[in-house]
Amino acid sequence: MKREITFGKRSALLHNGEKCAKLYIDEPALPVALADAINKESRIDVTDVSKCKDYSCIRMFHELTAGELLGVVCEAIGEVYDADTSVSYARPENAV
């Protein structure tokens, strides 16, 4: 599952697998506060926060359904960035 999350003038891309996920966010600094907010959920274990060129990445293992994970991530984004979130399906840049 890939979902694009927009909030304010920023966006994030959630790549979710069966037990692991990555959240790519267009954040110039490491989003440690966001990683901490996500990690508050007992069924999520944030394992890494890293910087990659123009974006940051939060890696995590989880025991959630796709919808539950998306809800936790959106709630954490709202809490940390004080912004409403909007979710859409992620499409490749060259898709028609």
Side-chain angles (χ1 to χ4, degrees):
M1 171 192 88
K2 292 182 185 178
R3 297 291 185 269
E4 183 177 8
I5 304 166
T6 55
F7 53 101
K9 294 182 179 182
R10 295 194 168 141
S11 65
L13 187 61
L14 178 64
H15 290 244
N16 182 29
E18 188 174 324
K19 299 273 185 195
C20 60
K22 291 181 183 178
L23 180 68
Y24 299 96
I25 183 169
D26 65 348
E27 175 69 43
L30 285 176
V32 176
L34 179 58
D36 288 343
I38 292 170
N39 207 40
K40 287 180 185 176
E41 166 60 50
S42 63
R43 297 174 293 166
I44 295 178
D45 182 24
V46 172
T47 59
D48 183 52
V49 180
S50 60
K51 184 82 175 124
C52 303
K53 296 186 182 183
D54 296 333
Y55 61 91
S56 296
C57 179
I58 299 174
R59 291 178 181 87
M60 61 196 100
F61 290 103
H62 64 86
E63 296 291 332
L64 303 170
T65 66
E68 290 171 331
L69 179 63
L70 186 59
V72 168
V73 169
C74 286
E75 187 175 313
I77 288 172
E79 176 186 320
V80 171
Y81 294 96
D82 192 28
D84 292 330
T85 58
S86 173
V87 178
S88 62
Y89 291 98
R91 294 182 183 90
E93 289 182 19
N94 59 356
V96 177

Coordinates of all heavy atoms in Angstrom, one line a residue:
M1 N 0.8 -1.2 0.0 CA 0.0 0.0 0.0 C 0.9 1.2 0.0 O 1.8 1.3 0.8 CB -0.9 0.0 1.2 CG -1.6 1.3 1.4 SD -2.4 1.5 3.0 CE -1.1 2.2 4.0
K2 N 0.6 2.2 -0.9 CA 1.3 3.5 -0.9 C 0.2 4.5 -0.8 O -0.8 4.5 -1.5 CB 2.1 3.6 -2.2 CG 3.2 2.7 -2.3 CD 4.0 3.0 -3.6 CE 5.1 2.0 -3.8 NZ 5.8 2.3 -5.0
R3 N 0.4 5.4 0.1 CA -0.5 6.6 0.3 C 0.2 7.8 0.4 O 1.3 7.9 1.1 CB -1.4 6.4 1.6 CG -2.3 5.2 1.5 CD -3.4 5.4 0.5 NE -4.4 4.3 0.6 CZ -4.3 3.2 -0.2 NH1 -3.3 3.0 -1.0 NH2 -5.2 2.2 -0.1
E4 N -0.3 8.9 -0.2 CA 0.3 10.2 -0.1 C -0.5 11.0 0.9 O -1.7 11.0 0.9 CB 0.3 11.0 -1.4 CG 1.0 12.3 -1.3 CD 1.0 13.0 -2.6 OE1 0.5 12.6 -3.6 OE2 1.7 14.1 -2.7
I5 N 0.2 11.6 1.9 CA -0.4 12.3 3.0 C 0.0 13.8 2.8 O 1.2 14.1 2.8 CB 0.0 11.8 4.3 CG1 -0.3 10.3 4.5 CG2 -0.7 12.6 5.5 CD1 0.4 9.7 5.6
T6 N -0.9 14.7 2.6 CA -0.6 16.1 2.5 C -1.0 16.8 3.8 O -2.1 16.5 4.4 CB -1.2 16.8 1.3 OG1 -2.6 16.5 1.3 CG2 -0.7 16.2 0.0
F7 N -0.3 17.8 4.2 CA -0.6 18.6 5.4 C 0.1 19.9 5.3 O 1.3 20.0 5.0 CB -0.1 17.8 6.7 CG 1.3 17.4 6.7 CD1 2.3 18.1 7.4 CD2 1.7 16.3 6.0 CE1 3.6 17.7 7.4 CE2 3.0 15.9 6.0 CZ 4.0 16.6 6.7
G8 N -0.6 21.0 5.4 CA -0.1 22.3 5.2 C 0.5 22.4 3.8 O -0.1 22.0 2.8
K9 N 1.8 22.8 3.7 CA 2.5 22.9 2.4 C 3.4 21.7 2.2 O 4.3 21.8 1.3 CB 3.2 24.2 2.3 CG 2.3 25.4 2.2 CD 3.1 26.7 2.1 CE 2.1 27.9 2.0 NZ 2.8 29.1 1.8
R10 N 3.3 20.7 3.0 CA 4.2 19.6 3.0 C 3.4 18.3 2.6 O 2.2 18.3 2.5 CB 4.8 19.3 4.3 CG 5.7 20.5 4.7 CD 6.6 20.0 5.9 NE 7.6 21.0 6.1 CZ 8.0 21.4 7.2 NH1 7.5 20.9 8.3 NH2 9.0 22.3 7.3
S11 N 4.2 17.3 2.3 CA 3.6 16.0 2.0 C 4.5 14.9 2.5 O 5.7 15.1 2.7 CB 3.4 15.8 0.5 OG 4.6 15.8 -0.2
A12 N 3.9 13.7 2.6 CA 4.7 12.5 3.0 C 4.1 11.3 2.2 O 3.0 11.4 1.7 CB 4.5 12.3 4.5
L13 N 4.9 10.3 2.0 CA 4.5 9.1 1.3 C 4.7 7.9 2.2 O 5.9 7.7 2.7 CB 5.4 9.0 0.0 CG 5.0 7.9 -1.0 CD1 3.6 8.1 -1.5 CD2 6.0 7.9 -2.1
L14 N 3.7 7.2 2.5 CA 3.7 6.0 3.3 C 3.7 4.8 2.5 O 2.8 4.5 1.7 CB 2.5 6.0 4.3 CG 2.4 4.8 5.2 CD1 3.6 4.8 6.2 CD2 1.1 4.8 5.9
H15 N 4.8 4.0 2.6 CA 4.9 2.7 1.9 C 4.7 1.7 3.0 O 5.6 1.6 3.9 CB 6.3 2.5 1.3 CG 6.6 3.4 0.1 ND1 6.9 2.9 -1.1 CD2 6.7 4.7 0.0 CE1 7.1 3.8 -1.9 NE2 7.0 5.0 -1.3
N16 N 3.7 0.9 2.9 CA 3.4 -0.1 3.9 C 3.5 -1.5 3.4 O 2.9 -1.8 2.4 CB 2.0 0.2 4.5 CG 1.6 -0.8 5.6 OD1 2.5 -1.2 6.3 ND2 0.3 -1.1 5.7
G17 N 4.2 -2.3 4.1 CA 4.3 -3.7 3.8 C 3.5 -4.5 4.9 O 2.8 -3.9 5.7
E18 N 3.7 -5.8 4.9 CA 2.9 -6.6 5.9 C 3.3 -6.3 7.3 O 2.5 -6.2 8.2 CB 3.1 -8.1 5.5 CG 2.3 -9.0 6.4 CD 2.4 -10.4 6.0 OE1 2.5 -10.7 4.8 OE2 2.3 -11.3 6.8
K19 N 4.6 -6.2 7.6 CA 5.0 -6.0 9.0 C 6.0 -4.8 9.1 O 6.4 -4.5 10.2 CB 5.8 -7.2 9.5 CG 4.9 -8.5 9.6 CD 4.2 -8.5 10.9 CE 3.4 -9.9 10.9 NZ 2.4 -9.9 11.9
C20 N 6.3 -4.1 8.0 CA 7.2 -3.0 8.0 C 6.7 -1.9 7.1 O 5.9 -2.1 6.3 CB 8.6 -3.4 7.6 SG 8.7 -4.1 5.9
A21 N 7.1 -0.7 7.4 CA 6.7 0.5 6.6 C 7.8 1.5 6.6 O 8.7 1.5 7.5 CB 5.4 1.0 7.2
K22 N 7.7 2.4 5.6 CA 8.6 3.5 5.5 C 7.8 4.8 5.3 O 6.8 4.7 4.5 CB 9.6 3.4 4.4 CG 10.6 2.3 4.6 CD 11.6 2.2 3.4 CE 12.6 1.1 3.6 NZ 13.5 1.0 2.4
L23 N 8.1 5.8 5.9 CA 7.4 7.1 5.7 C 8.4 8.1 5.2 O 9.4 8.4 5.9 CB 6.8 7.6 7.0 CG 6.0 8.9 6.9 CD1 4.8 8.8 6.1 CD2 5.7 9.5 8.3
Y24 N 8.3 8.5 3.9 CA 9.1 9.5 3.3 C 8.5 10.9 3.5 O 7.3 11.0 3.1 CB 9.4 9.2 1.9 CG 10.0 7.9 1.6 CD1 9.3 6.7 1.3 CD2 11.4 7.8 1.7 CE1 9.9 5.5 1.1 CE2 12.0 6.5 1.5 CZ 11.3 5.4 1.2 OH 11.9 4.2 1.0
I25 N 9.2 11.8 4.0 CA 8.6 13.1 4.3 C 9.5 14.2 3.8 O 10.7 14.2 3.9 CB 8.3 13.3 5.8 CG1 7.6 14.6 6.1 CG2 9.5 13.1 6.6 CD1 7.0 14.7 7.5
D26 N 8.9 15.3 3.1 CA 9.7 16.4 2.6 C 10.0 17.3 3.7 O 9.6 18.5 3.7 CB 9.0 17.0 1.4 CG 7.7 17.7 1.8 OD1 7.2 17.5 2.9 OD2 7.2 18.5 0.9
E27 N 10.9 16.9 4.6 CA 11.3 17.6 5.8 C 12.8 17.9 5.7 O 13.6 16.9 5.5 CB 11.0 16.8 7.0 CG 11.5 17.4 8.3 CD 10.7 18.6 8.7 OE1 9.5 18.6 8.6 OE2 11.4 19.6 9.1
P28 N 13.2 19.1 5.7 CA 14.6 19.4 5.6 C 15.5 18.9 6.8 O 16.6 18.6 6.6 CB 14.7 21.0 5.4 CG 13.4 21.4 6.0 CD 12.4 20.3 5.8
A29 N 14.9 18.9 7.9 CA 15.6 18.4 9.1 C 15.0 17.0 9.5 O 14.0 16.6 9.0 CB 15.3 19.3 10.3
L30 N 15.8 16.3 10.3 CA 15.3 15.0 10.7 C 14.0 15.1 11.5 O 14.0 15.9 12.5 CB 16.4 14.2 11.5 CG 17.6 13.7 10.8 CD1 18.6 13.1 11.8 CD2 17.1 12.6 9.8
P31 N 13.0 14.4 11.1 CA 11.7 14.5 11.8 C 11.6 13.6 13.1 O 10.8 12.7 13.2 CB 10.7 14.0 10.8 CG 11.5 13.0 10.0 CD 12.9 13.6 9.9
V32 N 12.5 13.9 14.0 CA 12.6 13.1 15.2 C 11.3 13.2 16.1 O 10.9 12.2 16.6 CB 13.9 13.5 16.1 CG1 13.9 12.7 17.4 CG2 15.1 13.2 15.2
A33 N 10.8 14.4 16.2 CA 9.5 14.5 16.9 C 8.4 13.7 16.3 O 7.6 13.1 17.1 CB 9.1 16.0 17.0
L34 N 8.3 13.6 15.0 CA 7.3 12.8 14.4 C 7.6 11.3 14.6 O 6.6 10.6 14.9 CB 7.3 13.1 12.8 CG 6.3 12.3 12.0 CD1 4.9 12.5 12.6 CD2 6.4 12.6 10.6
A35 N 8.8 10.9 14.5 CA 9.1 9.5 14.8 C 8.8 9.2 16.3 O 8.2 8.1 16.5 CB 10.6 9.3 14.6
D36 N 9.0 10.1 17.2 CA 8.6 9.8 18.6 C 7.1 9.7 18.8 O 6.6 8.9 19.5 CB 9.2 10.9 19.5 CG 10.7 10.9 19.7 OD1 11.3 9.8 19.4 OD2 11.3 11.9 20.1
A37 N 6.4 10.6 18.1 CA 4.9 10.6 18.2 C 4.4 9.3 17.6 O 3.4 8.7 18.2 CB 4.3 11.8 17.4
I38 N 4.9 8.8 16.5 CA 4.5 7.5 15.9 C 4.8 6.4 16.8 O 4.1 5.4 17.0 CB 5.1 7.3 14.5 CG1 4.6 8.3 13.5 CG2 4.9 5.9 14.0 CD1 5.3 8.4 12.2
N39 N 6.0 6.4 17.4 CA 6.5 5.4 18.3 C 5.7 5.2 19.6 O 5.8 4.2 20.3 CB 8.0 5.6 18.6 CG 8.7 4.3 18.9 OD1 8.5 3.3 18.2 ND2 9.6 4.3 19.8
K40 N 4.9 6.2 19.9 CA 4.0 6.1 21.1 C 3.0 4.9 21.0 O 2.6 4.4 22.0 CB 3.2 7.4 21.3 CG 4.1 8.5 21.8 CD 3.2 9.8 22.0 CE 4.1 11.0 22.4 NZ 3.2 12.2 22.5
E41 N 2.6 4.6 19.8 CA 1.7 3.4 19.6 C 2.5 2.2 19.9 O 3.6 1.9 19.4 CB 1.3 3.4 18.1 CG 0.6 2.1 17.7 CD -0.6 1.7 18.4 OE1 -1.5 2.6 18.6 OE2 -0.7 0.6 18.9
S42 N 2.0 1.4 20.9 CA 2.7 0.2 21.4 C 2.9 -0.9 20.3 O 3.8 -1.7 20.5 CB 1.9 -0.4 22.6 OG 0.6 -0.8 22.1
R43 N 2.1 -0.9 19.3 CA 2.3 -1.9 18.2 C 3.2 -1.4 17.1 O 3.2 -2.1 16.0 CB 0.9 -2.4 17.7 CG 0.1 -3.1 18.8 CD -1.2 -3.4 18.4 NE -2.0 -2.1 18.2 CZ -3.1 -2.0 17.5 NH1 -3.7 -3.1 17.1 NH2 -3.7 -0.9 17.4
I44 N 3.9 -0.3 17.3 CA 4.8 0.2 16.3 C 6.2 0.4 16.9 O 6.3 0.9 18.0 CB 4.4 1.6 15.7 CG1 3.1 1.4 14.9 CG2 5.4 2.2 14.8 CD1 2.5 2.7 14.4
D45 N 7.2 0.0 16.2 CA 8.6 0.1 16.7 C 9.4 0.9 15.6 O 9.7 0.3 14.6 CB 9.2 -1.2 16.9 CG 10.6 -1.1 17.5 OD1 11.0 -0.1 18.0 OD2 11.4 -2.1 17.3
V46 N 9.6 2.2 15.8 CA 10.4 3.0 14.9 C 11.8 2.6 15.1 O 12.4 2.6 16.2 CB 10.2 4.5 15.1 CG1 11.1 5.3 14.3 CG2 8.7 4.9 14.8
T47 N 12.4 2.2 14.0 CA 13.8 1.6 14.0 C 14.9 2.6 13.5 O 16.0 2.4 13.8 CB 13.9 0.3 13.2 OG1 13.6 0.6 11.9 CG2 13.0 -0.7 13.8
D48 N 14.5 3.6 12.7 CA 15.5 4.4 12.0 C 14.8 5.7 11.5 O 13.7 5.7 11.0 CB 16.1 3.7 10.9 CG 17.2 4.4 10.2 OD1 18.1 4.9 10.9 OD2 17.2 4.6 9.0
V49 N 15.5 6.8 11.7 CA 15.2 8.1 11.1 C 16.4 8.6 10.4 O 17.5 8.7 11.0 CB 14.8 9.1 12.2 CG1 14.4 10.4 11.6 CG2 13.6 8.6 13.1
S50 N 16.3 8.8 9.1 CA 17.5 9.1 8.3 C 17.1 10.2 7.3 O 16.0 10.5 7.0 CB 18.0 7.9 7.6 OG 17.0 7.4 6.7
K51 N 18.2 10.9 6.8 CA 18.1 11.9 5.8 C 18.5 11.4 4.5 O 19.6 10.8 4.4 CB 19.0 13.1 6.3 CG 18.9 14.3 5.4 CD 17.7 15.1 5.8 CE 17.7 16.4 5.0 NZ 16.5 16.6 4.2
C52 N 17.8 11.7 3.4 CA 18.1 11.2 2.1 C 17.9 12.4 1.1 O 16.7 12.7 0.8 CB 17.3 10.0 1.6 SG 17.4 8.6 2.7
K53 N 18.9 13.1 0.7 CA 18.8 14.2 -0.2 C 17.8 15.3 0.3 O 18.1 15.9 1.3 CB 18.5 13.8 -1.6 CG 19.6 12.9 -2.3 CD 19.3 12.7 -3.7 CE 20.4 11.8 -4.3 NZ 20.2 11.5 -5.7
D54 N 16.7 15.4 -0.4 CA 15.7 16.5 -0.1 C 14.6 16.0 0.9 O 13.6 16.7 1.1 CB 15.1 17.0 -1.3 CG 16.1 17.7 -2.2 OD1 17.1 18.2 -1.7 OD2 15.9 17.8 -3.4
Y55 N 14.7 14.8 1.3 CA 13.6 14.2 2.2 C 14.2 13.4 3.3 O 15.4 13.1 3.3 CB 12.6 13.4 1.3 CG 13.2 12.2 0.7 CD1 13.3 11.0 1.3 CD2 13.8 12.3 -0.6 CE1 13.8 9.9 0.7 CE2 14.3 11.2 -1.2 CZ 14.4 10.0 -0.5 OH 14.9 8.9 -1.1
S56 N 13.3 13.1 4.3 CA 13.7 12.2 5.4 C 12.9 11.0 5.3 O 11.8 10.9 4.7 CB 13.5 13.0 6.7 OG 14.3 14.1 6.8
C57 N 13.4 9.9 6.0 CA 12.7 8.6 6.0 C 12.6 8.1 7.5 O 13.6 8.2 8.2 CB 13.5 7.7 5.2 SG 12.7 6.0 5.1
I58 N 11.4 7.7 7.8 CA 11.2 7.0 9.1 C 10.9 5.5 8.8 O 9.9 5.3 8.1 CB 10.0 7.7 9.9 CG1 10.3 9.1 10.2 CG2 9.7 6.9 11.1 CD1 9.2 9.9 10.8
R59 N 11.7 4.6 9.3 CA 11.5 3.2 9.1 C 10.9 2.6 10.4 O 11.3 3.0 11.5 CB 12.8 2.5 8.8 CG 13.3 2.9 7.4 CD 14.7 2.2 7.2 NE 15.2 2.5 5.9 CZ 16.0 3.6 5.7 NH1 16.3 4.4 6.7 NH2 16.4 3.9 4.5
M60 N 9.9 1.7 10.2 CA 9.2 1.1 11.3 C 8.8 -0.3 11.1 O 8.5 -0.7 9.9 CB 8.1 2.0 11.8 CG 7.0 2.1 10.7 SD 5.9 3.5 11.0 CE 6.6 4.7 9.9
F61 N 8.7 -1.1 12.1 CA 8.0 -2.4 12.1 C 6.7 -2.2 12.9 O 6.6 -1.4 13.8 CB 8.9 -3.5 12.8 CG 10.1 -3.8 12.0 CD1 11.3 -3.4 12.4 CD2 10.0 -4.7 10.9 CE1 12.5 -3.7 11.7 CE2 11.1 -5.0 10.2 CZ 12.4 -4.5 10.6
H62 N 5.7 -3.0 12.5 CA 4.4 -2.8 13.1 C 3.5 -4.0 13.1 O 3.8 -5.0 12.4 CB 3.6 -1.6 12.4 CG 3.2 -2.0 11.0 ND1 2.1 -2.7 10.6 CD2 3.9 -1.7 9.8 CE1 2.0 -2.8 9.3 NE2 3.1 -2.2 8.8
E63 N 2.5 -4.0 13.9 CA 1.6 -5.1 14.1 C 0.1 -4.6 13.8 O -0.8 -4.9 14.6 CB 1.7 -5.8 15.4 CG 3.0 -6.5 15.7 CD 3.2 -7.7 14.9 OE1 2.2 -8.4 14.5 OE2 4.4 -8.0 14.6
L64 N 0.0 -3.7 12.8 CA -1.3 -3.0 12.6 C -1.8 -3.4 11.2 O -1.1 -3.8 10.3 CB -1.1 -1.5 12.7 CG -0.5 -1.0 14.0 CD1 -0.2 0.5 13.8 CD2 -1.5 -1.1 15.1
T65 N -3.1 -3.2 11.0 CA -3.7 -3.2 9.7 C -3.2 -2.0 8.9 O -2.8 -1.0 9.5 CB -5.2 -3.3 9.7 OG1 -5.7 -2.1 10.2 CG2 -5.7 -4.5 10.5
A66 N -3.4 -2.0 7.6 CA -3.0 -0.8 6.8 C -3.8 0.4 7.3 O -3.2 1.5 7.4 CB -3.3 -1.1 5.4
G67 N -5.1 0.3 7.5 CA -5.9 1.4 8.0 C -5.5 2.0 9.3 O -5.5 3.2 9.6
E68 N -5.2 1.1 10.2 CA -4.7 1.5 11.6 C -3.4 2.2 11.5 O -3.2 3.3 12.1 CB -4.6 0.3 12.5 CG -5.9 -0.4 12.9 CD -5.7 -1.7 13.6 OE1 -4.6 -2.4 13.4 OE2 -6.5 -2.0 14.4
L69 N -2.5 1.7 10.7 CA -1.2 2.4 10.6 C -1.4 3.8 10.0 O -0.8 4.8 10.5 CB -0.2 1.6 9.7 CG 1.1 2.2 9.4 CD1 1.9 2.3 10.7 CD2 1.9 1.4 8.4
L70 N -2.2 3.9 8.9 CA -2.4 5.2 8.3 C -3.0 6.1 9.3 O -2.6 7.3 9.4 CB -3.3 5.0 7.1 CG -3.6 6.2 6.2 CD1 -2.3 6.8 5.7 CD2 -4.5 5.9 5.1
G71 N -3.9 5.7 10.1 CA -4.6 6.5 11.2 C -3.5 7.0 12.2 O -3.6 8.2 12.5
V72 N -2.7 6.1 12.6 CA -1.6 6.5 13.6 C -0.7 7.6 13.0 O -0.4 8.6 13.6 CB -0.9 5.3 14.1 CG1 0.4 5.7 14.9 CG2 -1.7 4.4 14.9
V73 N -0.3 7.3 11.8 CA 0.7 8.3 11.1 C 0.0 9.6 10.9 O 0.6 10.7 11.2 CB 1.2 7.7 9.8 CG1 1.9 8.7 9.0 CG2 2.1 6.5 10.0
C74 N -1.2 9.6 10.5 CA -1.9 10.9 10.2 C -2.2 11.7 11.6 O -2.0 12.9 11.6 CB -3.3 10.7 9.5 SG -3.1 10.3 7.8
E75 N -2.5 10.9 12.6 CA -2.7 11.5 13.9 C -1.4 12.1 14.4 O -1.4 13.2 15.0 CB -3.2 10.5 14.9 CG -3.6 11.1 16.2 CD -4.3 10.1 17.1 OE1 -5.2 9.3 16.7 OE2 -3.9 10.0 18.3
A76 N -0.3 11.4 14.3 CA 1.0 11.9 14.7 C 1.4 13.2 13.9 O 1.9 14.1 14.5 CB 2.1 10.8 14.5
I77 N 1.2 13.2 12.6 CA 1.5 14.3 11.8 C 0.7 15.5 12.2 O 1.2 16.6 12.4 CB 1.2 14.0 10.3 CG1 2.3 13.1 9.7 CG2 1.2 15.3 9.5 CD1 2.0 12.6 8.3
G78 N -0.6 15.3 12.5 CA -1.5 16.4 13.0 C -1.0 17.0 14.3 O -1.0 18.2 14.5
E79 N -0.5 16.1 15.2 CA 0.0 16.5 16.5 C 1.3 17.3 16.4 O 1.4 18.3 17.0 CB 0.2 15.2 17.4 CG 0.8 15.5 18.7 CD 1.1 14.2 19.4 OE1 0.2 13.2 19.3 OE2 2.1 14.1 20.1
V80 N 2.2 16.8 15.6 CA 3.5 17.4 15.5 C 3.5 18.7 14.7 O 4.2 19.7 15.1 CB 4.6 16.4 15.0 CG1 5.9 17.0 14.7 CG2 4.7 15.2 15.9
Y81 N 2.8 18.7 13.6 CA 2.8 19.8 12.7 C 1.6 20.7 12.9 O 1.5 21.7 12.1 CB 3.0 19.3 11.2 CG 4.3 18.7 10.9 CD1 4.4 17.3 11.0 CD2 5.4 19.4 10.7 CE1 5.6 16.7 10.8 CE2 6.6 18.8 10.4 CZ 6.7 17.4 10.5 OH 7.9 16.8 10.2
D82 N 0.7 20.4 13.8 CA -0.5 21.2 14.0 C -1.2 21.5 12.7 O -1.5 22.7 12.4 CB -0.1 22.4 14.8 CG -1.4 23.1 15.3 OD1 -2.4 22.4 15.6 OD2 -1.4 24.4 15.4
A83 N -1.5 20.4 11.9 CA -2.1 20.6 10.6 C -3.0 19.5 10.3 O -2.9 18.4 10.8 CB -1.0 20.6 9.5
D84 N -4.1 19.8 9.6 CA -5.0 18.7 9.1 C -4.3 17.9 8.0 O -3.5 18.4 7.2 CB -6.3 19.3 8.5 CG -7.1 20.0 9.6 OD1 -7.0 19.5 10.8 OD2 -7.8 21.0 9.3
T85 N -4.6 16.6 7.9 CA -4.0 15.8 6.9 C -5.1 15.4 5.9 O -6.3 15.3 6.2 CB -3.5 14.5 7.5 OG1 -4.5 13.8 8.2 CG2 -2.3 14.8 8.5
S86 N -4.6 15.1 4.7 CA -5.4 14.6 3.6 C -4.7 13.4 3.0 O -3.5 13.5 2.7 CB -5.6 15.7 2.5 OG -6.3 15.2 1.4
V87 N -5.4 12.3 2.7 CA -4.8 11.1 2.2 C -5.3 10.8 0.8 O -6.5 10.9 0.5 CB -5.1 9.9 3.1 CG1 -4.5 8.6 2.5 CG2 -4.6 10.2 4.5
S88 N -4.4 10.4 -0.1 CA -4.7 10.0 -1.4 C -3.9 8.8 -1.9 O -2.8 8.6 -1.2 CB -4.6 11.2 -2.4 OG -3.2 11.6 -2.5
Y89 N -4.3 8.1 -2.9 CA -3.5 7.0 -3.4 C -2.2 7.6 -4.1 O -2.3 8.7 -4.7 CB -4.3 6.3 -4.5 CG -5.4 5.5 -3.9 CD1 -6.7 5.9 -4.0 CD2 -5.2 4.2 -3.4 CE1 -7.7 5.2 -3.5 CE2 -6.2 3.5 -2.8 CZ -7.5 4.0 -2.9 OH -8.5 3.2 -2.4
A90 N -1.1 7.0 -3.9 CA 0.1 7.5 -4.5 C 0.3 6.9 -5.9 O 0.0 5.7 -6.1 CB 1.3 7.1 -3.6
R91 N 0.6 7.8 -6.8 CA 0.8 7.3 -8.2 C 2.2 7.7 -8.7 O 2.7 8.7 -8.3 CB -0.3 8.0 -9.1 CG -1.7 7.7 -8.8 CD -2.6 8.4 -9.8 NE -4.0 8.1 -9.4 CZ -4.7 8.8 -8.6 NH1 -4.2 9.8 -7.9 NH2 -6.0 8.4 -8.3
P92 N 2.7 6.8 -9.5 CA 4.0 7.2 -10.1 C 4.0 8.5 -10.8 O 2.9 8.8 -11.4 CB 4.4 6.0 -11.0 CG 3.4 4.9 -10.6 CD 2.2 5.6 -10.0
E93 N 5.1 9.2 -10.9 CA 5.1 10.5 -11.5 C 4.8 10.4 -13.0 O 4.2 11.3 -13.6 CB 6.5 11.2 -11.4 CG 6.7 11.7 -10.0 CD 8.1 12.3 -9.9 OE1 8.7 12.7 -10.9 OE2 8.6 12.5 -8.7
N94 N 5.1 9.3 -13.7 CA 4.9 9.2 -15.1 C 3.5 8.5 -15.4 O 3.2 8.2 -16.6 CB 6.0 8.4 -15.8 CG 6.2 7.0 -15.2 OD1 5.5 6.7 -14.2 ND2 7.1 6.3 -15.7
A95 N 2.7 8.4 -14.4 CA 1.3 7.8 -14.7 C 0.4 8.8 -15.4 O 0.5 10.0 -15.2 CB 0.7 7.3 -13.4
V96 N -0.4 8.3 -16.2 CA -1.4 9.1 -16.9 C -2.7 9.2 -16.2 O -3.2 8.3 -15.7 CB -1.6 8.6 -18.4 CG1 -2.6 9.4 -19.1 CG2 -0.3 8.5 -19.1

